[in-house]
Amino acid sequence: MNEFNPSSPVQRRRISPRRLALMGSVAAIAVAVLVGGPNGFRQIPIPAWSNQVQAAETVQHPADFADLIAKVKPAVVSVRVKMEQGPQDSSSGENAVPLQPGSPMEKFFRQFGGQQFGQEFGQQFGGQTPQRRAVTGEGSGFFISADGYAVTNNHVVDHAKTVTVTTDDGKIHTATVVGTDPKSDLALIKVEGSGFTYVKFADHAPRIGEWAVAVGNPFGLGGTVTAGIVSATGRDIGRGADDYIQIDAPINRGNSGGPTFDIYGRVIGVNSAIFSPSGGSVGIGFAIPADVADTITKQLIAGGKVTRGYLGATIQDVTPEIAESLGQKGRKGALVAELVPGGPAAKGGVQSGDMVVELNG
């Protein structure tokens, strides 16, 4: 070891107070690592700022989703249906897509739809034959109660003769369809029994950029987990809800009816559709928002059907030019274009040409 010589020009160089403080911090950390004793290393206090940095890194870069999946995966089921299809049966064809002819979204659903939309959960079609024949299909679902109520998509169980679900432990159960809602593409099924692991809907909308974890039965491969982020919210894809959640967690044919979770294990959406020229995932999937699914399923549990109120009016956006022509320059609102004769809006005194600027005060 070289001996310290205070007369050496190099060793006599003065060190600034700031640099000395930094060296002291590094030395303190080194001592925390190196100091030991006969019973092993002693615990040395770590500066508070170090814990803060570690906490931030944990939030920004979660190690994995293993604990989350262990908690929620037993609540997710594979759904298998059997139905009859005849030559004029449109339940599995393009007419199953609730779009008006010529809709700008028609092409969109032909890419995911048509026979593919009907086959989205694994149906196989050959040439049209005059006789009726048995068709099987597969989708996904998840329990929302311990007594066997489960959510899936309407298009998964539509026209089903029998429905069975396979739980994560491999057990097969017969299910009954409690009720369906084609408008939102949601359905509620029931398995007899109790003690099922179940999950809950999130009570708030997800933010763009948050984690999205999908669990389902793509291509019949049950119990499949994929992850991504919430890519967008409020998507109107021309059918069902007008505020779909867009996710880039890979979902494919068979994921329909399965849940998308946040990192806390809450269901933020029910997977319903994908955009795909190829028929497989290209990173653009759509899920029905949790608040919509929660409202619909509660009505289905209560009465087996969904009742909706309606305004009885057709509205359009108010452009700056329209607002100015109505003497409402700079204001935002909705313009009443048409009224349903005898409808609620007409009975309430609303007239065509009115501009709605406030609701309930």
Side-chain angles (χ1 to χ4, degrees):
M1 178 182 294
N2 293 329
E3 184 178 351
F4 174 71
N5 180 4
S7 64
S8 169
V10 175
Q11 295 177 354
R12 289 175 59 192
R13 185 173 61 189
R14 299 187 64 181
I15 302 175
S16 69
R18 179 175 179 274
R19 186 176 180 188
L20 185 61
L22 290 173
M23 291 174 64
S25 298
V26 173
I29 295 173
V31 169
V33 174
L34 297 176
V35 171
N39 297 322
F41 288 102
R42 291 186 293 118
Q43 184 175 359
I44 304 297
I46 303 296
W49 59 264
S50 177
N51 290 332
Q52 293 171 0
V53 171
Q54 290 175 357
E57 289 178 347
T58 300
V59 171
Q60 294 174 11
H61 305 286
D64 55 49
F65 301 105
D67 291 339
L68 164 67
I69 299 307
K71 180 173 68 172
V72 302
K73 192 165 173 278
V76 183
V77 299
S78 299
V79 181
R80 186 176 180 84
V81 302
K82 289 184 179 180
M83 63 189 73
E84 286 186 350
Q85 184 202 18
Q88 304 301 320
D89 190 342
S90 63
S91 64
S92 301
E94 290 187 12
N95 292 333
V97 184
L99 296 175
Q100 295 297 322
S103 166
M105 299 304 292
E106 190 173 11
K107 181 180 178 181
F108 171 93
F109 276 104
R110 279 179 177 165
Q111 290 175 318
F112 180 64
Q115 289 189 348
Q116 285 186 353
F117 185 85
Q119 298 176 60
E120 188 264 343
F121 38 92
Q123 296 175 4
Q124 301 297 323
F125 295 89
Q128 293 291 346
T129 56
Q131 71 273 13
R132 303 185 68 85
R133 56 198 176 97
V135 178
T136 62
E138 291 184 333
S140 304
F142 57 97
F143 288 118
I144 57 171
S145 70
D147 57 350
Y149 282 105
V151 175
T152 186
N153 279 154
N154 172 70
H155 74 260
V156 171
V157 299
D158 191 27
H159 295 277
K161 298 297 182 182
T162 63
V163 180
T164 58
V165 303
T166 304
T167 52
D168 190 53
D169 57 7
K171 294 180 179 179
I172 300 175
H173 305 264
T174 299
T176 57
V177 179
V178 176
T180 63
D181 182 44
K183 185 175 179 63
S184 65
D185 193 25
L186 288 168
L188 184 72
I189 59 178
K190 178 74 164 62
V191 175
E192 293 302 321
S194 61
F196 295 104
T197 300
Y198 66 96
V199 289
K200 296 182 178 180
F201 290 109
D203 57 4
H204 65 282
R207 296 188 303 163
I208 297 172
E210 288 185 345
W211 287 109
V213 181
V215 185
N217 183 36
F219 304 110
L221 302 172
T224 298
V225 180
T226 56
I229 63 169
V230 175
S231 304
T233 57
R235 290 296 198 207
D236 184 354
I237 63 174
R239 58 182 284 269
D242 59 2
D243 56 352
Y244 280 85
I245 300 169
Q246 181 182 327
I247 62 173
D248 71 351
I251 57 175
N252 290 282
R253 286 177 286 183
N255 274 110
S256 271
T260 290
F261 297 100
D262 61 15
I263 59 173
Y264 304 104
R266 300 171 300 203
V267 178
I268 60 173
V270 181
N271 299 321
S272 179
I274 63 172
F275 179 86
S276 174
S278 64
S281 174
V282 294
I284 301 178
F286 299 99
I288 303 161
D291 60 339
V292 174
D294 190 25
T295 300
I296 296 298
T297 53
K298 284 178 179 176
Q299 290 196 50
L300 292 176
I301 290 174
K305 62 180 181 179
V306 176
T307 302
R308 290 182 172 87
Y310 80 107
L311 182 62
T314 302
I315 61 174
Q316 66 183 67
D317 293 335
V318 174
T319 64
E321 293 76 17
I322 292 176
E324 186 173 0
S325 69
L326 296 174
Q328 301 292 325
K329 184 177 181 180
R331 299 200 70 172
K332 296 181 179 180
L335 183 68
V336 179
E338 293 183 75
L339 293 172
V340 175
K347 290 180 179 179
V350 177
Q351 298 180 16
S352 179
D354 283 349
M355 177 179 170
V356 181
V357 295
E358 290 183 2
L359 181 65
N360 289 336

